[in-house]
Amino acid sequence: MLNQYINDNKDRFVDELLDMLRIPSVSADPKFKADVMRNAEYLKARLIEAGADNVELVETAGNPVVYGEKLVDPNLPTVLVYGHYDVQPADPYELWTSPPFEPVIKDGKIYARGACDDKGQMYMHVKAFETMVKTGTLACNVKFMIEGEEEVGSVNLGAFVREHKDRLQGDVILISDTGMLANDTPSITTGLRGLSYLEVEVTGPNRDLHSGLYGGAVANPINILCQMIASLHDENNHITIPGFYDNVQELSQEERADMARAPFDLEKYKKALNLGDVHGEAGYVTMERNSIRPTLDVNGIWGGYTGEGAKTVIPSKAYAKISMRLVPNQTSEEITEKFKKHFESIAPKSVKVEVKPHHGGEPVVTPTDSPAYQAAAKAYEETFGVKPIPVRSGGSIPIVAMFKSELGLDSVLMGFGLDSDAIHSPNESYGLFNFMKGIETIPLFYKYFAELKK
Amino acid sequence: MLNQYINDNKDRFVDELLDMLRIPSVSADPKFKADVMRNAEYLKARLIEAGADNVELVETAGNPVVYGEKLVDPNLPTVLVYGHYDVQPADPYELWTSPPFEPVIKDGKIYARGACDDKGQMYMHVKAFETMVKTGTLACNVKFMIEGEEEVGSVNLGAFVREHKDRLQGDVILISDTGMLANDTPSITTGLRGLSYLEVEVTGPNRDLHSGLYGGAVANPINILCQMIASLHDENNHITIPGFYDNVQELSQEERADMARAPFDLEKYKKALNLGDVHGEAGYVTMERNSIRPTLDVNGIWGGYTGEGAKTVIPSKAYAKISMRLVPNQTSEEITEKFKKHFESIAPKSVKVEVKPHHGGEPVVTPTDSPAYQAAAKAYEETFGVKPIPVRSGGSIPIVAMFKSELGLDSVLMGFGLDSDAIHSPNESYGLFNFMKGIETIPLFYKYFAELKK
């Protein structure tokens, strides 16, 4: 009956997603503010159509949270669905083969910014909800909270959650904002890395200087910034910030052996990214480096003359955006503080350094023995025909830790994306197979979760 | 008589310069191409008015050379005046207190891009020439060659000179594109550094990646670029490129002692640039570091997300513009080759590196015992009341070496600019004192040069 309804409405489900993908809801850039609002309104209308009650745009200090609910029976468990309608910036635009906000379907995939992260995955929940409502099979109470600032660190969600604690009572948080190993190898994310994101500014002379007249005699802030950044890793690619690893939870050999069971082909991996070699912390393999180990990456750097042609200038300032991925039991506050202290301490007297913390999030590990995880596992097994593999992801969903601390709720991360979806990159895509599979699997989670909570 | 004419026409001289400064003749950026042409035409008209013959815009593969001459007597020596009408890019625009191409006069200084480098200094020669012609005191034959590509490395001037060798016969090259120590301490530049300018591109993965899912497992091209750049200097700020210093001419203790006689106040220098400390090669003082020693500076760097807000991306590529200042007897071809070889050799297997040579120029030292230098020295002494100090400059005027090799002519560098003119920086300026002093001093050079060549 569920599948009947889903098949009958498949085309409309996809068309509605495409319409939403046409809205450039980039939260990082103020010039898209109006589009972000338009997307919130669009989502509100769809939730009402799907059968949600009390649908509204809840004001925050930033972009509104789209809230909606369906409370069928106080004796049934309540699922809080979280997702986000904002997207990453789409630049560099020139690397897209089709415009990022003009979705196209090619080889069974939807190509657009946000196709997977997170509009595609978030909208599966809206359509799964519609399906359960229209077929009278809704087995749990549902509360939707879809935010518009995930890509800028969910800066106002904590305040929203604290303010609406009562309204947000429930039994579990359900999120689809992660990936799975492959379409024939479903997996559920049980761990996430935290994040500490900062911007640094190095100032040399008080004005741009002619590199001929001053070159060699004054500190060039670009050269100095490069030296400071380079010094943050040693020859084994360990991070040199004092105390950085103090609280890192080392995994047991058994846990590492478990992880090694997940299918992974290093040659394929290198080939897919056209890498001459992988690169990372000595003593760990690739799948460990990007999941259970903390990292430090420069996400952006700029300074001096970057236009066409040549300019022989020593700039006054150089900048970098630097982020660190954290693992249990590091905290973003602790690491941000240690970075700031260290980075300021290694600056030579010839420059001034400013470190501006941007945003952060805490790492989490979700228990696989919980009813929520078990219900999700059964749902995947039924629709995919194989048991899902529990995996630790290298990504960060800071709000998962926040939901735990503020609402006392665990999150179950039913992600249907693939690495090849290229989220945060040009030509982001999401498979129609994955979109529809999600819509089929989610109602089964509700069913099994209600049973297991009985 | 000369000074009478100069005083009577002072205001017009300045107004004509301001008109030229309103033309944004930025040679590094194609979008100013039409303005560059407009500036060439403007200069042609002024040369004709000033009394030059056979004035024309001589085509090159790039921007035209403005040529004009006055051949009064084959028995008199011939002075070739070189200058350039193109200017540096004016960005960052937001740091200008008045728009770069809307000149204003404040506290006796003209503020505009090109006010000093080189429109102001070049135009002194046009007005000095007019003065000599109108007062019937022209003591030498004159040939003007004012180019429009100096700020992009004079890429087509060599071909121009070779093509017009006969027409460019003469006895000396006269250039005002350098500075002097102070308005009460005139100096003449006797040495210039050479230049090797390159652009490097580091490629990691074949597409931008999510720093959560890939961070720690693949080489981040920004981090790698920073490590490679940092490794180009050792802890004593010596450049680590193998063979880099092989051909560097070390000065004798006597020569270094001579240099040390030039007035220099380190505290003032640091204060003027708001530096906590100077920074440079161990074993050399500031005035040596920026003149007789070779350097390596990053003039621009960019990669990843540099917009507002945060983006957790590992970019596919990172770039830098790098220039090295050269001293006798390094050659730009030699150093460019050594840099390229070294930079490619230090790239880890996890990235690909491309090094694109941009342009270069050779270092030069001009003899102080030549008639040309002696004539210039006498001219300064007469107008300033003190003997000028011979100094080695850190800047590069690649064409000085080219004139020597192609035409066999030495150049005399009668620079009237000051460090505080902030050439290549926002708020570039040029003193009215310096502009008028140049117009008074140049005719005396002609006079004494003619006498000394008798």
Side-chain angles (χ1 to χ4, degrees):
Chain A
M1 185 169 68
L2 282 167
N3 291 349
Q4 181 62 51
Y5 184 88
I6 293 170
N7 278 321
D8 296 347
N9 297 276
K10 183 174 194 282
D11 296 348
R12 177 173 56 82
F13 289 177
V14 173
D15 290 340
E16 290 172 8
L17 172 58
L18 297 184
D19 284 339
M20 180 158 55
L21 291 171
R22 291 188 180 94
I23 306 172
S25 52
V26 178
S27 51
D29 189 338
K31 78 169 183 286
F32 293 103
K33 181 79 181 170
D35 299 300
V36 170
M37 290 306 300
R38 199 150 53 83
N39 201 132
E41 291 291 351
Y42 179 86
L43 198 56
K44 177 185 174 184
R46 297 291 83 69
L47 273 173
I48 293 168
E49 285 174 1
D53 306 322
N54 308 319
V55 182
E56 62 170 306
L57 304 192
V58 182
E59 289 310 317
T60 73
N63 300 328
V65 173
V66 183
Y67 181 86
E69 61 186 21
K70 191 86 182 175
L71 308 180
V72 284
D73 179 345
N75 301 317
L76 291 176
T78 299
V79 175
L80 271 75
V81 176
Y82 166 85
H84 62 95
Y85 61 85
D86 64 319
V87 297
Q88 278 275 315
D91 57 306
Y93 280 67
E94 65 273 19
L95 297 187
W96 287 77
T97 50
S98 61
F101 300 108
E102 298 170 26
V104 295
I105 297 178
K106 222 169 44 200
D107 313 327
K109 290 175 172 183
I110 302 167
Y111 286 86
R113 167 58 82 230
C116 173
D117 179 15
D118 181 47
K119 289 179 178 179
Q121 295 215 67
M122 172 268 285
Y123 205 61
M124 298 184 309
H125 290 271
V126 180
K127 295 296 98 178
F129 170 71
E130 172 191 323
T131 301
M132 292 185 281
V133 170
K134 306 294 181 180
T135 56
T137 57
L138 185 58
C140 303
N141 302 304
V142 192
K143 296 174 179 178
F144 284 91
M145 49 180 164
I146 314 299
E147 74 155 318
E149 299 183 302
E150 198 272 345
E151 301 294 4
V152 290
S154 303
V155 281
N156 296 299
L157 194 69
F160 165 83
V161 168
R162 277 185 291 280
E163 196 179 323
H164 300 276
K165 259 199 168 70
D166 307 338
R167 197 180 191 182
L168 298 177
Q169 290 306 315
D171 298 275
V172 71
I173 308 274
L174 180 58
I175 306 175
S176 295
D177 197 16
T178 50
M180 58 182 190
L181 293 167
N183 284 350
D184 59 1
T185 316
S187 57
I188 299 175
T189 303
T190 58
L192 292 165
R193 289 196 287 193
L195 181 71
S196 166
Y197 198 111
L198 312 97
E199 191 163 314
V200 301
E201 174 186 307
V202 176
T203 304
N206 55 2
R207 57 181 172 90
D208 289 4
L209 299 175
H210 185 294
S211 70
L213 303 181
Y214 293 90
V218 303
N220 179 326
I222 303 177
N223 290 71
I224 298 291
L225 176 60
C226 288
Q227 288 165 14
M228 293 173 74
I229 288 170
S231 77
L232 297 176
H233 289 90
D234 67 15
E235 65 284 5
N236 294 317
N237 280 305
H238 294 303
I239 292 155
T240 58
I241 298 167
F244 185 81
Y245 294 98
D246 284 358
N247 301 319
V248 170
Q249 188 187 77
E250 297 289 342
L251 270 67
S252 68
Q253 286 310 322
E254 292 66 28
E255 289 174 292
R256 292 177 69 179
D258 273 341
M259 284 187 66
R261 291 216 193 82
F264 176 73
D265 182 329
L266 185 59
E267 286 316 308
K268 266 206 195 118
Y269 184 86
K270 283 157 64 176
K271 197 153 177 300
L273 300 172
N274 190 27
L275 299 173
D277 198 357
V278 289
H279 179 98
E281 187 181 8
Y284 297 89
V285 297
T286 294
M287 293 310 285
E288 294 173 327
R289 288 166 171 175
N290 66 13
S291 64
I292 62 169
R293 298 300 297 172
T295 67
L296 185 151
D297 271 299
V298 181
N299 301 114
I301 191 166
W302 68 104
Y305 184 67
T306 59
E308 246 193 275
K311 187 177 178 187
T312 51
V313 64
I314 295 175
S316 173
K317 291 173 181 292
Y319 308 82
K321 293 174 192 272
I322 298 175
S323 69
M324 290 163 286
R325 296 286 169 171
L326 315 178
V327 300
N329 297 312
Q330 295 176 301
T331 72
S332 73
E333 189 185 356
E334 165 217 356
I335 293 301
T336 299
E337 195 38 54
K338 286 175 174 171
F339 178 96
K340 192 173 190 305
K341 191 156 166 287
H342 176 64
F343 203 75
E344 288 165 350
S345 74
I346 61 175
K349 270 178 58 195
S350 51
V351 300
K352 293 165 199 63
V353 167
E354 198 181 342
V355 178
K356 300 178 201 132
H358 227 305
H359 65 272
E362 308 310 327
V364 286
V365 176
T366 51
T368 55
D369 55 5
S370 63
Y373 181 85
Q374 292 300 326
K378 287 182 64 138
Y380 276 87
E381 188 171 2
E382 188 166 329
T383 50
F384 284 86
V386 288
K387 263 196 165 36
I389 300 174
V391 298
R392 296 269 297 259
S393 163
S396 304
I397 310 181
I399 44 85
V400 170
M402 187 271 290
F403 288 139
K404 181 71 177 180
S405 59
E406 294 296 336
L407 300 175
L409 296 181
D410 285 326
S411 298
V412 58
L413 303 171
M414 294 176 64
F416 293 86
L418 299 175
D419 278 4
S420 55
D421 292 341
I423 65 171
H424 291 213
S425 300
N427 305 310
E428 175 179 355
S429 66
Y430 192 45
L432 288 170
F433 168 87
N434 306 70
F435 181 65
M436 296 315 298
K437 209 64 162 177
I439 297 172
E440 292 166 28
T441 308
I442 290 162
L444 297 173
F445 167 79
Y446 282 72
K447 175 178 161 224
Y448 293 122
F449 186 61
E451 286 176 11
L452 290 163
K453 292 290 282 186
K454 273 218 188 76
Chain B
M1 185 170 66
L2 282 166
N3 291 347
Q4 182 60 52
Y5 184 88
I6 292 169
N7 279 319
D8 296 348
N9 296 277
K10 182 175 194 286
D11 296 349
R12 177 173 56 82
F13 289 177
V14 173
D15 290 340
E16 289 172 8
L17 173 57
L18 296 185
D19 283 340
M20 182 159 54
L21 291 171
R22 291 188 181 94
I23 307 172
S25 52
V26 178
S27 51
D29 188 339
K31 79 168 180 286
F32 293 103
K33 180 77 180 172
D35 299 299
V36 170
M37 290 305 300
R38 198 149 53 84
N39 202 131
E41 292 290 351
Y42 178 86
L43 197 56
K44 177 184 173 185
R46 298 292 81 69
L47 272 174
I48 293 168
E49 284 173 5
D53 305 322
N54 308 319
V55 182
E56 61 169 306
L57 303 192
V58 182
E59 290 308 318
T60 73
N63 301 328
V65 174
V66 182
Y67 180 86
E69 62 187 20
K70 190 87 179 173
L71 309 179
V72 284
D73 179 346
N75 300 318
L76 291 175
T78 299
V79 175
L80 270 75
V81 176
Y82 166 86
H84 62 94
Y85 61 86
D86 65 320
V87 298
Q88 278 275 317
D91 57 307
Y93 280 68
E94 64 274 17
L95 297 186
W96 286 76
T97 51
S98 60
F101 299 109
E102 296 170 25
V104 296
I105 298 177
K106 226 170 40 200
D107 314 326
K109 289 177 172 181
I110 303 168
Y111 286 85
R113 167 57 80 230
C116 174
D117 178 16
D118 181 45
K119 289 179 178 179
Q121 295 216 69
M122 172 267 286
Y123 205 60
M124 298 183 309
H125 289 272
V126 179
K127 296 295 100 177
F129 169 70
E130 172 191 324
T131 301
M132 293 184 280
V133 170
K134 307 292 181 184
T135 57
T137 57
L138 184 57
C140 302
N141 300 306
V142 191
K143 295 174 179 176
F144 284 92
M145 50 180 163
I146 314 300
E147 73 154 318
E149 299 184 301
E150 197 273 345
E151 300 296 2
V152 288
S154 303
V155 278
N156 296 300
L157 194 70
F160 164 83
V161 168
R162 277 184 290 280
E163 197 178 325
H164 300 277
K165 257 198 170 74
D166 307 338
R167 197 180 190 181
L168 299 177
Q169 290 307 314
D171 297 276
V172 70
I173 309 273
L174 179 58
I175 306 175
S176 296
D177 197 16
T178 49
M180 57 183 189
L181 293 167
N183 283 350
D184 58 3
T185 316
S187 56
I188 299 175
T189 303
T190 57
L192 292 164
R193 289 197 286 192
L195 181 71
S196 166
Y197 199 111
L198 311 96
E199 191 164 314
V200 300
E201 174 186 306
V202 176
T203 304
N206 55 2
R207 59 182 172 88
D208 290 3
L209 299 175
H210 185 292
S211 70
L213 303 181
Y214 293 89
V218 302
N220 178 327
I222 302 178
N223 291 71
I224 298 291
L225 176 60
C226 288
Q227 288 165 14
M228 293 173 73
I229 287 170
S231 77
L232 297 175
H233 289 90
D234 68 16
E235 65 283 5
N236 295 317
N237 281 304
H238 293 304
I239 293 156
T240 58
I241 298 167
F244 185 81
Y245 294 99
D246 285 356
N247 301 320
V248 170
Q249 186 188 77
E250 297 289 342
L251 270 66
S252 67
Q253 287 309 323
E254 293 66 28
E255 289 174 291
R256 292 177 70 179
D258 274 341
M259 285 187 65
R261 292 217 192 81
F264 177 72
D265 183 328
L266 185 60
E267 286 316 308
K268 267 209 198 117
Y269 185 86
K270 281 156 65 174
K271 198 151 174 299
L273 301 173
N274 190 27
L275 299 173
D277 198 357
V278 290
H279 179 98
E281 187 180 8
Y284 296 90
V285 297
T286 294
M287 293 308 286
E288 294 174 327
R289 287 167 171 174
N290 66 12
S291 64
I292 62 168
R293 297 300 297 171
T295 68
L296 185 151
D297 272 299
V298 181
N299 301 113
I301 192 166
W302 67 103
Y305 184 67
T306 60
E308 247 194 272
K311 187 176 178 187
T312 52
V313 65
I314 294 177
S316 172
K317 291 174 182 292
Y319 306 83
K321 293 175 193 272
I322 299 175
S323 69
M324 291 163 286
R325 296 285 168 172
L326 315 179
V327 300
N329 299 313
Q330 294 176 301
T331 72
S332 72
E333 188 185 357
E334 165 216 356
I335 294 302
T336 300
E337 194 39 54
K338 285 174 174 172
F339 177 95
K340 192 175 191 302
K341 190 156 167 288
H342 177 65
F343 203 75
E344 288 165 349
S345 74
I346 60 175
K349 270 178 59 194
S350 50
V351 300
K352 293 166 199 61
V353 167
E354 199 179 343
V355 178
K356 298 177 202 136
H358 226 304
H359 66 271
E362 307 311 327
V364 285
V365 176
T366 50
T368 56
D369 55 6
S370 64
Y373 181 86
Q374 292 301 325
K378 287 180 65 134
Y380 276 87
E381 189 170 2
E382 188 166 328
T383 50
F384 284 86
V386 288
K387 266 197 158 39
I389 300 173
V391 300
R392 295 269 297 257
S393 161
S396 305
I397 311 182
I399 44 87
V400 169
M402 187 271 289
F403 288 139
K404 181 71 176 177
S405 59
E406 295 295 336
L407 300 174
L409 297 181
D410 285 324
S411 298
V412 57
L413 304 170
M414 294 177 64
F416 293 87
L418 299 175
D419 277 3
S420 55
D421 292 340
I423 66 171
H424 290 214
S425 299
N427 305 309
E428 175 178 355
S429 67
Y430 192 45
L432 288 170
F433 168 88
N434 306 71
F435 180 64
M436 298 314 299
K437 210 62 162 176
I439 297 172
E440 292 165 28
T441 308
I442 290 162
L444 296 172
F445 167 79
Y446 282 72
K447 175 176 160 226
Y448 293 121
F449 187 60
E451 287 175 12
L452 288 164
K453 292 290 282 188
K454 273 218 188 77

